[in-house]
């Protein structure tokens, strides 16, 4: 937020910054089990361990006001979705959201309440017929997928490092949704060390076709930026510019297929100086129609702040040293020796027939 302010992006009159309140308990219970909400409330009072609920664990330690903090993050995503659905805002962003691993009855992977899932339930209740969730985080968006597994009106899309080599161990191409909802879970499971070119090739080979086929009323996207090579929590090598381009694509698709209705969320991201501020600045820049190129210098005052706060050289530009990302489109041809291409083909072949998309030329 400091970087966005220093760049002048959030100071523009057409931007509305809204405070958020913790979401009411009955809204949390649209997706979470009451006994789990009780457990989170207990964990908010101090030391508390409940292995079944995933609380008091290494990934999800209990802390004072845990419930309130997680409910507030969820409240911001719900407010964002309501503002977009109600037409007060074309796009909205909650960088604190994107807690995609939270399960109906358990915390998981640093995620307590599943803000995206609660927001999807809210817009469904207000009349949304088809909602699409797009997850760009390095890890599979397992919580959101689980919550809408049997719901054909919610399509969850996740591009991630394969569960064969990374937490949470799920999200394979043949995982496509429950019996009445086949094709409304879409998973691209990439090999470790997939680079920007491979990641963008995979994204473009699947996402646009899926969005056009599904025709969502609203898109909620999760911009976890832990697929970067500097991020210790994945083995992907996706640079800042590729993640910027992914946000550009989601934005374009929202205008093309969802009447512009787009809610963007944060998510994972553990390289907190070199990657997270840059990627999320791009997300907010794009969502506020003030896109900034990757070679824009970072403001001196922001650099000075990083210098003062941390013993770490601040990034000089809004991209990284890896520069701009380019990729070869899927239409240029399939390479059977490429592990990335085999992953892309597995997803297209599995899911496209269920969505009425013609992929026969690849069989
Ligand atoms: Zn992640
Ligand atoms: Zn727009």
């Amino acid at each position: 937020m400091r970087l966005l302010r220093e760049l002048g992006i959030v100071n523009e009159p057409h931007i509305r910054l809204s405070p958020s309140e913790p979401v009411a308990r009955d809204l949390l219970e649209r997706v979470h089990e009451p006994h789990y909400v009780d457990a989170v409330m207990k964990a908010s009072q101090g030391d508390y361990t409940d292995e079944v609920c995933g609380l008091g664990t290494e990934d999800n330690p209990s802390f004072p006001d845990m419930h309130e903090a997680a409910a507030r993050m969820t409240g911001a995503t719900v407010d964002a979705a309501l503002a977009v659905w109600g037409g007060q805002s074309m796009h909205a962003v909650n960088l604190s959201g994107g807690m995609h691993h939270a399960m109906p009855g358990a915390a998981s992977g640093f995620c307590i309440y599943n803000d995206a899932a609660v927001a999807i339930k809210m817009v469904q209740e207000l009349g949304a017929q088809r909602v699409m969730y797009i997850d760009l985080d390095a890890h599979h968006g397992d919580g959101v997928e689980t919550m809408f597994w049997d719901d054909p009106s919610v399509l969850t899309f996740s591009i991630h490092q394969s569960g064969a080599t990374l937490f949470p161990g799920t999200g394979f191409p043949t995982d496509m949704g429950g019996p009445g909802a086949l094709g409304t879970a879409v998973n691209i499971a990439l090999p470790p060390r997939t680079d920007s070119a491979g990641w963008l090739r995979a994204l473009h080979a699947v996402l646009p076709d899926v969005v056009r086929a599904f025709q969502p009323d609203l898109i909620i996207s999760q911009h976890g930026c832990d697929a970067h090579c500097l991020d210790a929590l994945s083995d992907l090598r996706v640079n800042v510019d590729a993640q910027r381009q992914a946000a550009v694509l989601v934005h374009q698709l929202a205008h093309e297929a969802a009447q512009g209705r787009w809610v963007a969320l944060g998510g994972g991201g553990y390289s907190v100086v070199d990657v997270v501020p840059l990627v999320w600045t791009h997300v907010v820049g794009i969502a506020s129609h003030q896109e900034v190129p990757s070679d824009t210098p970072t403001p001196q005052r922001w650099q000075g702040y990083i210098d003062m706060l941390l013993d770490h050289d601040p990034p000089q530009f809004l991209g990284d040293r890896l520069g701009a990302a380019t990729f070869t489109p899927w239409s240029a041809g399939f390479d059977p020796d490429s592990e990335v291409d085999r992953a892309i083909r597995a997803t297209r072949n599995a899911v496209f027939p269920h969505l009425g998309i013609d992929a026969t030329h690849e069989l």
Side-chain angles (χ1 to χ4, degrees), residues 100-101 137-139 226 268 270:
H100 61 166
H101 296 307
D137 194 281
H139 302 89
D226 45 6
Y270 310 93

Side-chain angles (χ1 to χ4, degrees), residues 100-101 109-110 135 137-140 166-167 222 224-227 231 233-234 267-270:
H100 61 166
H101 296 307
F110 321 138
D135 192 311
D137 194 281
H139 302 89
H140 175 224
L166 193 70
F167 178 91
Q222 196 266 24
C225 51
D226 45 6
D231 197 293
L233 265 69
S234 86
Y270 310 93

Side-chain angles (χ1 to χ4, degrees), residues 68-122:
E68 194 195 321
R72 190 181 295 278
M73 288 154 76
T74 305
T77 298
V78 168
D79 289 350
L82 295 183
V84 169
W85 184 252
Q88 292 88 1
S89 299
M90 178 79 82
H91 313 315
V93 183
N94 171 20
L95 295 178
S96 74
M99 300 295 112
H100 61 166
H101 296 307
M103 287 291 176
S108 173
F110 321 138
C111 303
I112 310 303
Y113 294 137
N114 201 311
D115 54 294
V118 175
I120 291 168
K121 287 283 188 191
M122 294 309 300

Side-chain angles (χ1 to χ4, degrees), residues 80-224:
L82 295 183
V84 169
W85 184 252
Q88 292 88 1
S89 299
M90 178 79 82
H91 313 315
V93 183
N94 171 20
L95 295 178
S96 74
M99 300 295 112
H100 61 166
H101 296 307
M103 287 291 176
S108 173
F110 321 138
C111 303
I112 310 303
Y113 294 137
N114 201 311
D115 54 294
V118 175
I120 291 168
K121 287 283 188 191
M122 294 309 300
V123 294
Q124 283 186 315
E125 286 170 23
L126 292 173
Q129 301 290 308
R130 286 178 308 282
V131 182
M132 182 152 175
Y133 170 77
I134 299 173
D135 192 311
L136 304 172
D137 194 281
H139 302 89
H140 175 224
D142 57 342
V144 188
E145 181 185 277
T146 296
M147 286 163 174
F148 299 101
W149 184 252
D150 293 313
D151 184 345
S153 72
V154 177
L155 191 149
T156 60
F157 168 98
S158 181
I159 181 169
H160 46 264
Q161 182 176 334
S162 170
T165 55
L166 193 70
F167 178 91
T170 51
F172 296 98
T174 47
D175 299 332
M176 297 185 288
L182 275 175
T184 59
V186 178
N187 286 293
I188 307 179
L190 295 169
R193 294 177 296 283
T194 298
D195 63 8
S196 300
W199 190 78
L200 283 173
R201 178 172 164 88
L203 191 68
H204 280 264
V206 180
L207 183 63
D209 283 337
V210 168
V211 174
R212 286 168 194 145
F214 188 67
Q215 288 290 315
D217 297 326
L218 177 131
I219 291 175
I220 299 185
S221 55
Q222 196 266 24
H223 296 261

